[in-house]
């Protein structure tokens, strides 16, 4: 799998499990991914529910983000003024292309040849590494998971744990092949190898690039959380620090930060707090600090009240871990940067429903994502609305066969006789299938992983009810 092939999907859209993205899905990875998501989902929720007032925390976090989004223009203006007062140079980027150009200009100005990067989903949106490489600048990921997927020339499969799909043994083989290290599948040893390799890069890099977890409007500070210490080194060792932020990653006041610092790690990694919390208050002496605020479609979401709560998202990743579809297919199947339920809403709005029309249908609509989201993003209802939007726009989200099935279903549901006839046809069909010379597995994807339901021997409730009612009437008369 080459970096070019991965890049291709960014520009051509984000359809679910296309012929191309199927190639990005590792069949042997699904079991590891499903198990890891399951473990993470339950572990994270246990840490959350150990807090007595958790529902109140959620409501408060929702209210703070709702206020932020409702006053985004004013708060961003305040944030920028306060940043500049601290000596930070701020840029606005309307899209990924402009953000890339700004980073390149800064890099040229400071004669940058090598960059160390902390984890940043905004930089993934920009495909920054690829862009910098095309201009002769090497950008090295320093988050362990990101480092591993960069080494494997893959894309992250999860927004919090990018290498979730890889086992320790697979990483051991990767280090053996790419770094010439002796094979090991011991976690501590693998970490030691990465640490040794990365340490010298921090010291020699010309520029550090990071994301921003929370921008704080009333102080002009910004906060980054991490567990490995790599962000601390990426942002303090090189003489230049560029921080990339989506315009929605803001909170109004410093006093709300502890709330979110408690929530994000609990939901993201099942920790009460991350190992490191960095609060940046302008550049230290002799160093340069830049903040790039990127829109890239976010104001488009802001203009649509029915999708606006998506801007509350703090990127904890928990809705991915709880999504039965994500657990089966992993992150690459979604074709763009953000996977899972949150990814579907963001991607469809950021790249346009025309380019992502199948994503809203990659959901069981079980509603687990809405139930667990710490900031109460109403993901499930937005998924339904996006389905309608995809169909209204006349996209190819539904095949002719799909449309025929749903039209027939709608017709059948319009009257008692029609409904009974359909049920009769289904029952008869299922009885006939048993005697066919080929196995029902031949029905394709639908039956490959599951058995057909057994035909109930007992009459359906409807029949039972009618019979009972007749008997009751008979007895009454
Ligand atoms: S939508 Fe909610 S659960 Fe999903 S990543 Fe965002 S904050 Fe977390």
């Amino acid at each position: 799998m080459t970096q070019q092939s991965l890049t291709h999907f960014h520009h051509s859209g984000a359809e679910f499990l296309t012929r191309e993205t199927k190639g990005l899905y590792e069949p042997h990875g699904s079991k590891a991914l499903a198990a890891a998501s399951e473990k993470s989902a339950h572990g994270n929720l246990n840490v959350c529910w150990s807090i007595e007032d958790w529902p109140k925390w959620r409501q408060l976090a929702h209210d703070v983000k709702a206020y932020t989004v409702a006053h985004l223009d004013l708060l961003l203006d305040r944030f920028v003024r306060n940043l500049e007062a601290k000596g930070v140079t701020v840029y606005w980027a309307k899209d990924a292309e402009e953000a890339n150009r700004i980073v390149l200009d800064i890099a040229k100005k400071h004669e940058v040849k090598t960059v160390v990067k902390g984890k940043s989903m905004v930089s993934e949106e920009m495909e920054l590494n690829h862009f910098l490489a095309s201009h002769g600048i090497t950008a090295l990921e320093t988050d362990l998971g990101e480092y591993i997927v960069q080494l494997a020339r893959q894309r992250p499969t999860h927004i919090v744990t990018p290498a979730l799909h890889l086992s320790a043994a697979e990483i051991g083989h990767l280090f053996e092949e790419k770094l010439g290290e002796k094979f090991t599948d011991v976690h501590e040893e693998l970490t030691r190898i990465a640490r040794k390799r990365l340490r010298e890069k921090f010291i020699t890099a010309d520029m550090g690039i990071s994301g921003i977890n929370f921008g704080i409007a009333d102080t002009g500070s910004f906060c980054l959380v991490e567990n490995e210490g790599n962000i601390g080194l990426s942002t303090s060792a090189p003489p230049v620090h560029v921080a990339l932020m989506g315009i929605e990653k803001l909170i109004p006041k410093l006093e709300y930060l502890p709330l979110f610092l408690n929530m994000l790690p609990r939901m993201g990694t099942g920790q009460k707090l991350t190992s490191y919390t960095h609060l940046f208050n302008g550049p230290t002496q002799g160093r340069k600090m830049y903040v790039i605020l990127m829109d890239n479609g976010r104001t488009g979401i802001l203009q649509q009240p029915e999708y606006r709560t998506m801007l509350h998202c703090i990127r904890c990743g928990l809705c991915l871990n709880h999504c039965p579809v994500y657990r089966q297919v992993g992150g690459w199947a979604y074709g763009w940067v953000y996977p899972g339920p949150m990814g579907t809403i963001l991607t469809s709005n950021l790249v346009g429903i025309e380019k992502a029309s199948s994503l809203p249908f990659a959901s069981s609509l079980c509603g687990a994502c809405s139930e667990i989201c710490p900031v109460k993003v109403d993901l499930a209802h937005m998924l339904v609305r996006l389905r309608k939007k995809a169909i209204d726009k006349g996209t190819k989200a539904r095949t002719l066969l799909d449309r025929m099935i749903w039209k027939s279903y709608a017709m059948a549901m319009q009257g008692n006789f029609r409904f009974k006839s359909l049920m009769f046809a289904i029952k008869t069909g299922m009885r006939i299938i048993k005697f066919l010379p080929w196995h029902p597995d031949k029905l394709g994807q639908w039956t490959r992983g599951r058995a057909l339901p057994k035909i109930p021997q007992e009459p359906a409730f409807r029949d039972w009810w009618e019979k009972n009612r007749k008997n009751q009437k008979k007895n009454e008369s």
Side-chain angles (χ1 to χ4, degrees), residues 159 310 313-319 342 372-375 377 379:
I159 62 169
M310 196 58 235
C313 176
I314 56 171
R315 309 284 191 270
C316 72
L318 195 58
C319 57
M342 59 78 77
I372 48 84
C373 175
V375 281
V377 178
L379 294 152

Side-chain angles (χ1 to χ4, degrees), residues 127-154:
E127 298 208 63
L128 181 59
N129 295 357
H130 185 66
F131 176 79
L132 288 177
S134 68
H135 288 85
I137 298 170
T138 309
L140 182 73
E141 296 289 349
T142 63
D143 170 270
L144 182 58
E146 292 277 355
Y147 176 68
I148 291 165
V149 291
Q150 187 181 37
L151 211 55
R153 297 178 74 80
Q154 296 176 350

Side-chain angles (χ1 to χ4, degrees), residues 213-341:
N213 289 116
F214 303 103
I216 302 145
D218 74 337
T219 58
S221 334
F222 58 91
C223 179
L224 278 163
V225 293
E226 57 152 339
N227 282 314
E228 297 163 16
N230 66 302
I231 289 183
L233 285 166
S234 301
T235 55
S236 62
V240 183
H241 173 198
V242 178
L244 308 166
M245 179 175 135
I247 55 169
E248 83 285 17
K249 298 291 280 295
L250 203 60
I251 56 172
K253 292 181 177 184
L254 187 61
E255 68 191 63
Y256 296 124
L257 186 61
L259 170 72
F260 290 99
L261 287 182
N262 266 289
M263 291 194 109
L264 182 57
R266 279 171 206 270
M267 307 308 269
T269 49
Q271 295 168 284
K272 291 179 182 166
L273 278 178
T274 45
S275 307
Y276 301 94
T277 302
H278 306 279
L279 197 59
F280 294 86
N281 277 295
T284 49
Q285 211 176 6
R287 300 182 70 251
K288 289 280 176 197
M289 185 181 278
Y290 299 88
V291 168
I292 301 174
L293 298 167
M294 188 171 87
D295 182 340
N296 208 28
R298 285 157 174 85
T299 45
I301 300 178
L302 192 64
Q303 285 161 19
Q304 304 174 74
E306 65 273 33
Y307 299 108
R308 203 173 280 159
T309 59
M310 196 58 235
L311 298 175
H312 295 191
C313 176
I314 56 171
R315 309 284 191 270
C316 72
L318 195 58
C319 57
L320 276 60
N321 301 348
H322 279 264
C323 175
V325 176
Y326 173 85
R327 284 189 196 182
Q328 291 305 313
V329 297
W332 296 333
Y334 294 77
W336 201 57
V337 177
Y338 299 105

Side-chain angles (χ1 to χ4, degrees), residues 38-58:
E38 168 94 16
K39 194 170 157 223
S40 170
H42 288 289
N44 301 5
L45 275 191
N46 285 342
V47 184
C48 298
W49 289 108
S50 64
I51 295 171
E52 206 178 310
D53 288 336
W54 184 247
K56 284 189 190 159
W57 284 34
R58 275 184 87 205

